[in-house]
Amino acid sequence: MIKIDYSKCLKCGKCLMVCKRGPLRAPEKDGEAPLVIEDENAACFLCAHCASVCPAGAITVEGLKDVEFGALPSAAPHYEDYIAFIRSRRSTRNYKNIPVPGELIARVIDSARYAPTAKNSCGVCVTAVTGNSVSKLAGLTFEFYKGLMEIVKSPVKKYFFMLAAGISTFRAIKKNMPAFEYGYKMWLDGTDLLFYDAPALLIVHADKTLPMPKDDCDYALYEMTLAAETLGLATCVNGFFLRAAENSKELRRFIKLPAGHEPYGAITLGFPALKFKKTPARKPVNVTYIS
Ligand SMILES: Cc1cc2nc3c(=O)[nH]c(=O)nc-3n(C[C@H](O)[C@H](O)[C@H](O)COP(=O)(O)O)c2cc1C
């Protein structure tokens, strides 16, 4: 709950400006301090914007440590610098054969807490897979895809699969079958086209009953990809693993997915073995302006 120290409050009204539907209400008379109301319709999701904007430090949010973060920079980075930075991020499929120190993994993960979450649920969880566990997980993932290949090839299995999963899911799997088969063959030959021998894999997951868990995890994942770049690390989003983890009990068990959680994204992480010299060509965004 929000608490105002009225002895400090400057009655500037800034907290009221940022609190659109929450428990802060305008005072009955001009020049008085804002009120904190206890109304179940006042949806406070502890965004703490009121405390963040208060120039007097008069507001505290129960359960959140106010002193944790240092002062904000006075200005955002220049647009050109920021665009140059995000343009330099590349999906990286060549990693140095050295582990990522735990301290760097922790710093990458910490960046996820600053991503927006629906209703400020802050429910994004991260599982970090390192060491031999990365290749064990790759092996299990390929076993899952091997099972799918067997389904596609067997008329009986195919029939029951289509009944259970639907024809469009079956068609999507069939379409990707050459990629699965090639990846599996290469894996048996000793080449990892799934995780590219990355020394670490970060998986984002969340309770599926949160308001918008997938979106929360997407934003958090992208924050981590950018944070990794600032630390000299590189990443690659991994949809192949995610699709398998969504559907495989073995994979869910291996990554210790809590009951009620869904995996919503994964990135490989490691020190890049190659340096990109320029941004690859990209189509412009298709924009519609309505005024
Ligand atoms: C949802 C999603 C899933 C992806 N899955 C994979 C994957 O399974 N394997 C892979 O090598 N790259 C994967 N990528 C990386 C894309 O291929 C990559 O972003 C794209 O080729 C553009 O390259 P860039 O990120 O360097 O700009 C994925 C990217 C996204 C956004």
Side-chain angles (χ1 to χ4, degrees):
M1 215 28 198
I2 308 298
K3 285 220 169 89
I4 301 178
D5 179 343
Y6 287 106
S7 68
K8 289 186 183 167
C9 175
L10 302 174
K11 306 177 184 77
C12 64
K14 287 184 176 153
C15 57
L16 290 170
M17 288 169 73
V18 294
C19 186
K20 301 293 184 194
R21 292 195 302 129
L24 296 185
R25 290 289 186 273
E28 283 169 10
K29 286 188 198 153
D30 278 353
E32 288 186 352
L35 306 168
V36 184
I37 58 154
E38 290 197 23
D39 176 348
E40 60 187 21
N41 295 318
C44 179
F45 36 76
L46 304 179
C47 70
H49 287 196
C50 53
S52 172
V53 81
C54 176
I59 303 182
T60 47
V61 183
E62 231 167 57
L64 292 182
K65 277 195 228 146
D66 201 29
V67 290
E68 224 175 333
F69 305 117
L72 289 171
S74 53
H78 287 295
Y79 178 82
E80 288 73 16
D81 294 341
Y82 174 69
I83 294 295
F85 170 57
I86 58 172
R87 255 188 20 213
S88 66
R89 178 209 58 81
R90 291 276 64 76
S91 293
T92 293
R93 301 180 180 92
N94 296 278
Y95 295 100
K96 286 185 184 162
N97 185 19
I98 46 174
V100 183
E103 183 236 340
L104 291 192
I105 294 181
R107 292 181 79 186
V108 170
I109 293 173
D110 189 57
S111 70
R113 74 200 287 209
Y114 309 114
T117 54
K119 292 198 166 176
N120 197 33
S121 66
C122 299
V124 173
C125 303
V126 178
T127 297
V129 184
T130 57
N132 290 341
S133 294
V134 181
S135 67
K136 279 189 198 156
L137 192 58
L140 282 178
T141 308
F142 280 116
E143 284 307 310
F144 171 81
Y145 281 113
K146 186 177 162 218
L148 285 188
M149 290 186 262
E150 285 164 8
I151 288 170
V152 170
K153 284 178 185 151
S154 151
V156 178
K157 285 185 181 171
K158 186 162 93 179
Y159 174 75
F160 284 108
F161 182 87
M162 277 195 280
L163 278 185
I167 186 119
S168 55
T169 305
F170 176 78
R171 284 201 182 125
I173 290 169
K174 199 169 169 200
K175 195 173 161 213
N176 281 310
M177 207 38 65
F180 300 158
E181 280 177 333
Y182 182 66
Y184 185 64
K185 182 185 166 302
M186 294 299 280
W187 172 253
L188 295 179
D189 289 348
T191 300
D192 176 8
L193 290 183
L194 180 68
F195 298 147
Y196 313 108
D197 294 314
L201 179 79
L202 301 181
I203 302 158
V204 279
H205 57 94
D207 185 324
K208 62 184 173 196
T209 63
L210 289 178
M212 299 180 80
K214 179 179 170 0
D215 306 69
D216 295 348
C217 284
D218 284 346
Y219 290 116
L221 199 71
Y222 191 56
E223 297 267 19
M224 292 198 290
T225 64
L226 295 182
E229 297 278 333
T230 70
L231 296 169
L233 293 160
T235 62
C236 187
V237 177
N238 204 289
F240 262 111
F241 167 73
L242 184 66
R243 285 289 171 262
E246 285 166 347
N247 292 293
S248 155
K249 280 193 192 128
E250 287 75 22
L251 286 175
R252 296 166 85 96
R253 238 193 322 267
F254 189 89
I255 63 171
K256 300 189 173 140
L257 196 69
H261 278 219
E262 276 300 316
Y264 291 111
I267 47 173
T268 46
L269 177 74
F271 292 101
L274 285 175
K275 195 157 172 50
F276 290 92
K277 297 281 181 219
K278 57 179 191 171
T279 306
R282 290 286 179 261
K283 290 180 194 166
V285 177
N286 188 340
V287 191
T288 304
Y289 290 103
I290 298 172
S291 53

